[in-house]
Amino acid sequence: MNKNILVLPGDGIGQEVTASATKVLEFLIEKYSLDFSVTSMDVGGTAYDQYGSPLPEEVLSSAKEADAILFGAVGGPKWDNLDWDVRPENALLTLRKELNLFANLRPAFLFNELSEASPLKKEIIENLDILIVRELTGGIYFGEPRGIVEDKEPNYAFNTMIYNEEEIRRIAKVAFESAQKRNGKLCSVEKANVLEVSKFWRSIVTEMSSDYPDVELSHQLADNTAMQLVLNPKQFDVIVASNLFGDILSDIAATLTGSIGMLPSASLDSSFKGMFEPCHGSAPDIAGKNLANPLAMISSLSMALRYSLNQEKISDKIDEAIKKFIQVGHRTIDISTDDNYLMTSDVAEKIIKIINND
Ligand code: IPM
Ligand code: MG
């Protein structure tokens, strides 16, 4: 059956890393005779510059039609002073919301060969394998009312942190089920010592735990989790958190593994259609220099094949190829300990070669 894949490179290194992933995808389509069609469109600041909108109508409608979306990254200093309505980041949030991509899976695992690249000691991070399940379409990032009031003395600004019961249940379900498929441990993270919304979150997750007797549930306060992630990250298996806390904690978790340039993510709706993006951003400081590590994007392609495109075996092939790539000593600048590193555009070629030689 024909599947539609939409590629949205976006801004900065988003362009370079999606070019690499697309190269791998095109090779896989050819090699395994996959019935996929691939379309690419502008989004973010790049779309704003051309069309005056970071998410033109046709992009949103193509995204709704797509079976899977490969998303690079958006944003950059050039667009930092725009109103929220037309900011590149708004395109990403609107896509998540409009497509109902409430479940964001952010795996953080260490390739032991890269332990030198981690800021933490080897014994703390060796064999690290965590999954952060972040709620992605609710909470303070979307809560209404929100705004900046500039005609009062003093002026003020406000946002609303809000979750309804259903939103908490559906993300907790994904987290409990993920824990069942992994090591059976789930840590729910919030600030129940301060926030009503967190107290409510904790009570619902606790109530649900009786349906998952095989999962060991714990609760942690978000500030403590930030500390625990650098003190003793291997205590975690699956972490579930709201949009805001999940955003912050997933950056910490990613860094533990040596480079945020290694880690993919999947944002899924209830039927497992989804958008797949690296955890890193647009990295304006290295954009256009052919220095970015495209492995997070290539690994996101693997997640797309696994979750949305029904191609688990091919997904395994990509994962194995990335593993081998690291094992044989290939490095990009972010994970290299010397001056010997590959450029972005060399990586896809090596990955393709590894898959071909298998
Ligand atoms: C992420 C990013 C986004 C977010 C930004 C770019 C809006 O930080 O995907 O983690 O805050 O969700
Ligand atoms: Mg983030």
Side-chain angles (χ1 to χ4, degrees):
M1 197 177 59
N2 181 265
K3 300 268 188 193
N4 271 317
I5 301 167
L6 177 64
V7 182
L8 300 175
D11 308 322
I13 63 166
Q15 297 278 339
E16 296 151 75
V17 298
T18 48
S20 301
T22 308
K23 229 191 243 170
V24 175
L25 174 60
E26 270 157 10
F27 155 77
L28 294 170
I29 291 174
E30 173 90 24
K31 181 170 173 84
Y32 298 104
S33 308
L34 300 171
D35 190 10
F36 288 175
S37 39
V38 184
T39 319
S40 179
M41 291 176 126
D42 289 318
V43 74
T46 312
Y48 174 81
D49 287 347
Q50 286 186 73
Y51 312 106
S53 160
L55 184 65
E57 263 309 309
E58 314 84 82
V59 180
L60 180 58
S61 57
S62 303
K64 285 180 178 168
E65 297 288 304
D67 295 292
I69 301 164
L70 300 180
F71 190 98
V74 286
K78 187 175 172 196
W79 305 285
D80 272 352
N81 294 321
L82 293 175
D83 283 346
W84 173 240
D85 282 4
V86 287
R87 266 188 80 120
E89 290 82 354
N90 193 355
L92 179 56
L93 265 67
T94 305
L95 277 168
R96 289 172 178 170
K97 188 74 174 175
E98 288 282 321
L99 274 59
N100 221 357
L101 306 174
F102 69 91
N104 185 211
L105 310 183
R106 296 191 161 185
F109 53 88
L110 179 79
F111 291 96
N112 285 338
E113 294 85 351
L114 296 184
S115 59
E116 296 295 320
S118 172
L120 294 195
K121 291 192 201 96
K122 198 171 164 180
E123 51 283 14
I124 295 181
I125 38 121
E126 220 161 26
N127 301 317
L128 182 78
D129 182 359
I130 302 176
L131 176 68
I132 298 195
V133 177
R134 170 188 175 194
E135 200 290 327
L136 202 60
T137 52
I140 197 165
Y141 287 16
F142 292 96
E144 297 284 346
R146 63 191 290 162
I148 300 177
V149 176
E150 289 179 310
D151 57 358
K152 293 277 189 291
E153 191 49 55
N155 292 330
Y156 63 95
F158 58 102
N159 289 89
T160 303
M161 190 185 263
I162 179 168
Y163 272 111
N164 69 38
E165 196 174 334
E166 274 166 29
E167 288 172 314
I168 300 170
R169 281 188 192 282
R170 67 180 182 176
I171 193 67
K173 180 169 184 279
V174 171
F176 275 113
E177 288 175 2
S178 302
Q180 279 179 324
K181 288 188 209 127
R182 292 170 47 99
N183 294 320
K185 275 171 66 179
L186 175 61
C187 180
S188 171
V189 172
E190 22 67 359
K191 280 288 288 180
N193 57 342
V194 180
L195 304 170
E196 281 79 4
V197 63
S198 288
K199 247 177 123 166
F200 186 60
W201 173 288
R202 187 181 285 208
S203 69
I204 289 171
V205 174
T206 304
E207 183 209 305
M208 286 174 72
S209 66
S210 58
D211 295 336
Y212 302 92
D214 49 338
V215 175
E216 182 195 321
L217 173 68
S218 61
H219 305 276
Q220 242 176 42
L221 301 175
D223 48 350
N224 185 25
T225 308
M227 184 174 74
Q228 295 298 333
L229 272 171
V230 289
L231 213 56
N232 176 20
K234 280 190 274 186
Q235 71 186 277
F236 299 109
D237 177 19
V238 179
I239 290 175
V240 63
S242 64
N243 209 339
L244 174 63
F245 298 142
D247 187 16
I248 296 166
L249 297 175
S250 59
D251 268 30
I252 302 178
T255 302
L256 301 180
T257 66
S259 169
I260 197 167
M262 295 296 297
L263 296 179
S265 82
S267 308
L268 305 172
D269 72 5
S270 46
S271 64
F272 289 92
K273 257 173 75 161
M275 185 155 82
F276 300 84
E277 52 178 312
C279 286
H280 62 70
S282 59
D285 53 328
I286 56 162
K289 297 185 179 161
N290 205 15
L291 286 175
N293 180 352
L295 288 178
M297 189 74 240
I298 295 171
S299 188
S300 300
L301 165 65
S302 165
M303 288 186 98
L305 290 157
R306 185 177 307 278
Y307 287 101
S308 298
L309 300 166
N310 224 351
Q311 296 292 346
E312 214 160 301
K313 284 205 181 108
I314 301 179
S315 169
D316 286 344
K317 292 230 178 268
I318 300 182
D319 294 352
E320 281 156 24
I322 293 175
K323 208 165 164 189
K324 202 164 227 177
F325 177 98
I326 296 294
Q327 272 166 0
V328 300
H330 294 316
R331 297 290 182 267
T332 43
I333 191 167
D334 55 323
I335 49 174
S336 173
T337 45
D338 53 34
D339 285 341
N340 210 346
Y341 53 83
L342 294 174
M343 306 308 281
T344 311
S345 51
D346 302 326
V347 175
E349 238 169 76
K350 301 271 185 216
I351 293 285
I352 289 170
K353 216 182 225 163
I354 296 172
I355 297 176
N356 249 338
N357 288 343
D358 245 9

